[in-house]
Amino acid sequence: MAAPLHSSLERRYARLGLLLIAPTVLIFCAVIVYPLVSAIYLSLFRVFTPTLESSWVGLSNYRELLASGLFWKALWNTLVWTAGTLTLQIVLGIGMALVLHQNIWFRSLARSLILFPYFISTVVAVLVWKWVFNDLYGILNHLLMQSGIISMPIDYLGSMPNAMISVILVGAWKYFPFVVIAVLARLQTIPEPLYEAARIDGAGPIARFFDVTLPQLRDVLVVIVMLRAIWDFKEFDLIWLLTGGGPSSSTETLPIVVYRQAFALNQMGMAAAWAVSMMAILLVFMIVYIRRTREKGPA
Amino acid sequence: MMRKYLGPVALNLFAWTTIIAVAFPLFWMLVTSVKPQSELFRRPPTMLPESWTLEHYWHLLTQTNFLVYFRNSVMLSTVTTLLVVTVATLGAYSLVRFRYRGRESLAFLVLFTYLLPSVVLIIPLYLMLVSLGLSNTLFSLVIAYTTFALPYALWLMRSFMAGVPDDLEYAAMVDGASRMGAFVDVILPQLLPGIISTALFTFILSWNEYLYALVLVNSDGARPLTTGVMNMLISSFNIEWSLLMAASVMMSVPLIIVFAFLQSYLTRGFGAGAVKG
């Protein structure tokens, strides 16, 4: 008697569970799964955006794309941007986390100030930096010239390699707080006896960092690097707003090409092919990250 | 005696020099927004304004569309947040506490979409919303924003939900509460900090979104702040930096409020979602 009752309750619960997840599933299907599938489908057509006239072209969008130097150029730019900004984010992030972990004056104010760039809108960040970078009245050129580091104003966004360096720097400024917070949270859980032991063994601060802190941070750093690599790779707003991909497409990354193909050159099908190719590359990172997360189990 | 104090002082000097350098662009934004036009282009520039003025803010609020954009952003972010947090709370409860087929694959799909680039979805979404006749409306942006906000919120809520002990729910059910009754009476109160944290993150994400707004809306009536303010930059004949800096400060006001009063919720969200996950 007890067993069937139990299983009927279980079935009722399963039904309740499905009912609760139903809104999520419906929304996912409508705004994520369906668009994702139709992006792949769309990439097999040639579409003219204003009229939406389309014709089947099979894989020729992909053939054209892979044969053009533009794809490899954009991929290269994306990799340069991602590698550059990610490295800076990690180095600055770890450094700042170590500093904020110390007992410095006004620590919570310091933490707020460091966190702020991460949470402001990219639009705000870009406007502020454009004003700082301004070639005639920008404060940065003024400060650098006053201190004698440069003798002529620098054109930060209009020439190469300055534009790429500037974009990488602003990206590092905007996103390194993410690394700070993540690393700081982990630092606070490293057991103090480990440091005591190292100190007794005669390890100086630098040796302690490499022998105790860094190995303890390893796991969280792997996760941070993967997450940030994915997010930096697909970054659109920051680069688009700062340089628009210029000068002459030298900071044009893959997401920017997708946008331009679709909404400036009016080639929706081609744009979809670019987007799908970009996603295929990202998929490698995503699968590595997801694998890792599932192995470790949810938080 | 000297040595004892020298170390900490050097550390503090180094720390605060770096912190000030990081925060400097934001300080400069604030300073520029309150400088009178005549002082703005003076050489050498004044680090602190010699005379303060709020004329740029006044100009922004009375002679531009800023307030319309602001209202749009508030509505858009509020509606998106309410929708997404409600759906995600129920969804996360289901994903964590119920057993049924397909649950694991669904959790996998959530994580996958959380990492998905917007530029892949934007083309089909654009076509879909145009064919539904929804382009140029705030509602189209609410739909578009759920594509990134819902996976994000679900992922966060899932990890908060996993932190609520099972026993509480069972205890309430032994006392005669129904499953949903136990959810409302026992789980929701426990989950409240997580919900607040998720809501804040969702709100900030929506408030800051740019790409979907750029593609889906091109009329001032439905433009949110991000594209609206950028439009002020592009469409003006000569760039009025102090006006743009005033707009940037105003745009960051909700964030400053969150920072001042609710910062612990932000740090909590960090711990729960992004990194541990």
Side-chain angles (χ1 to χ4, degrees), chain A residues 37-186:
Chain A
V37 173
S38 61
I40 297 169
Y41 183 64
L42 205 65
S43 72
L44 306 172
F45 287 83
R46 180 154 291 147
V47 188
F48 183 59
T49 313
T51 58
L52 296 181
E53 230 171 281
S54 63
S55 57
W56 170 268
V57 293
L59 290 175
S60 91
N61 278 336
Y62 289 96
R63 230 169 298 153
E64 200 177 310
L65 176 158
L66 292 174
S68 77
L70 191 59
F71 178 79
W72 303 105
K73 181 81 198 325
L75 179 60
W76 172 248
N77 287 342
T78 314
L79 291 176
V80 169
W81 142 259
T82 305
T85 198
L86 182 62
T87 311
L88 279 177
Q89 286 165 24
I90 297 291
V91 172
L92 287 175
I94 295 177
M96 189 44 85
L98 288 173
V99 167
L100 288 181
H101 190 52
Q102 305 296 317
N103 210 354
I104 62 164
W105 302 325
F106 306 106
R107 192 156 73 168
S108 65
L109 174 67
R111 215 167 69 165
S112 300
L113 288 175
I114 291 297
L115 221 58
F116 212 69
Y118 185 73
F119 286 100
I120 56 167
S121 165
T122 307
V123 167
V124 171
V126 165
L127 284 175
V128 171
W129 276 101
K130 278 199 167 195
W131 173 230
V132 168
F133 281 152
N134 189 292
D135 43 2
L136 287 176
Y137 303 105
I139 187 74
L140 187 59
N141 267 334
H142 170 76
L143 288 177
L144 289 178
M145 278 165 74
Q146 200 182 39
S147 57
I149 297 173
I150 57 171
S151 54
M152 289 286 287
I154 294 179
D155 182 5
Y156 292 97
L157 296 170
S159 67
M160 279 301 277
N162 300 5
M164 183 56 98
I165 296 171
S166 304
V167 170
I168 286 175
L169 283 175
V170 175
W173 177 81
K174 177 95 176 65
Y175 296 116
F176 92 100
F178 178 86
V179 183
V180 175
I181 292 301
V183 170
L184 198 56
R186 183 70 183 82

Side-chain angles (χ1 to χ4, degrees), chain A residues 185-242:
Chain A
R186 183 70 183 82
L187 279 179
Q188 281 156 359
T189 63
I190 298 179
E192 189 56 31
L194 287 180
Y195 289 107
E196 295 294 334
R199 216 170 276 136
I200 290 165
D201 289 347
I206 294 169
R208 284 204 297 274
F209 172 73
F210 282 103
D211 295 340
V212 181
T213 313
L214 216 48
Q216 289 279 319
L217 288 180
R218 215 193 72 128
D219 278 353
V220 77
L221 280 179
V222 171
V223 174
I224 296 171
V225 167
M226 283 193 294
L227 261 184
R228 284 257 41 108
I230 293 170
W231 285 333
D232 290 335
F233 194 90
K234 65 180 193 180
E235 175 69 48
F236 171 84
D237 302 3
L238 190 110
I239 306 173
W240 173 254
L241 290 169
L242 261 182

Side-chain angles (χ1 to χ4, degrees), chain B residues 216-236:
Chain B
L216 293 173
V217 168
N218 57 23
S219 73
D220 271 345
R223 219 174 245 144
L225 275 173
T226 46
T227 48
V229 169
M230 271 333 271
N231 228 38
M232 283 164 52
L233 169 76
I234 297 160
S235 59
S236 59

Side-chain angles (χ1 to χ4, degrees), chain A residues 13 17 24 31-32 35 38 52 99 104-105 112 119 121 128 131 136-137 173 178 220 227 234 236 241 268 293 298, chain B residues 12 15-16 22 25 32 43 94 98 113 115-116 123-124 127 147 154 158 173 208 241 255 263 270 274-275 277:
Chain A
Y13 280 161
T24 306
V31 302
I32 299 173
S38 61
L52 296 181
V99 167
I104 62 164
W105 302 325
S112 300
F119 286 100
S121 165
V128 171
W131 173 230
L136 287 176
Y137 303 105
W173 177 81
F178 178 86
V220 77
L227 261 184
K234 65 180 193 180
F236 171 84
L241 290 169
M268 284 256 172
T293 313
Chain B
N12 271 295
W16 274 96
V22 169
T32 307
R43 317 247 60 194
S94 169
F98 290 85
T113 51
L115 304 171
L116 203 66
I123 300 164
L127 295 176
T147 60
L154 257 170
R158 206 181 102 134
M173 274 154 62
N208 291 345
W241 284 108
L255 204 60
Q263 211 194 99
F270 251 111
V275 187

Side-chain angles (χ1 to χ4, degrees), chain B residues 44 66 69 74-75 81 99-101 125-126 134 153 156 186 188 190 195 199 207 221 234 247 253 269:
Chain B
F66 187 83
Y69 303 146
V74 170
M75 274 172 51
T81 305
R99 302 270 169 276
Y100 45 86
R101 271 181 44 205
L125 268 177
Y126 170 79
L134 288 172
L156 272 182
V186 179
L188 275 187
Q190 288 277 320
I195 294 176
W207 186 266
I234 297 160
V253 163

Side-chain angles (χ1 to χ4, degrees), chain B residues 151-198:
Chain B
Y152 188 79
L154 257 170
W155 196 243
L156 272 182
M157 285 308 297
R158 206 181 102 134
S159 122
F160 284 124
M161 185 73 75
V164 176
D166 289 343
D167 323 358
L168 290 171
E169 198 181 352
Y170 293 134
M173 274 154 62
V174 167
D175 287 348
S178 69
R179 190 90 197 236
M180 283 317 279
F183 174 69
V184 173
D185 292 340
V186 179
I187 302 214
L188 275 187
Q190 288 277 320
L191 209 55
L192 194 63
I195 294 176
I196 295 175
S197 182
T198 309

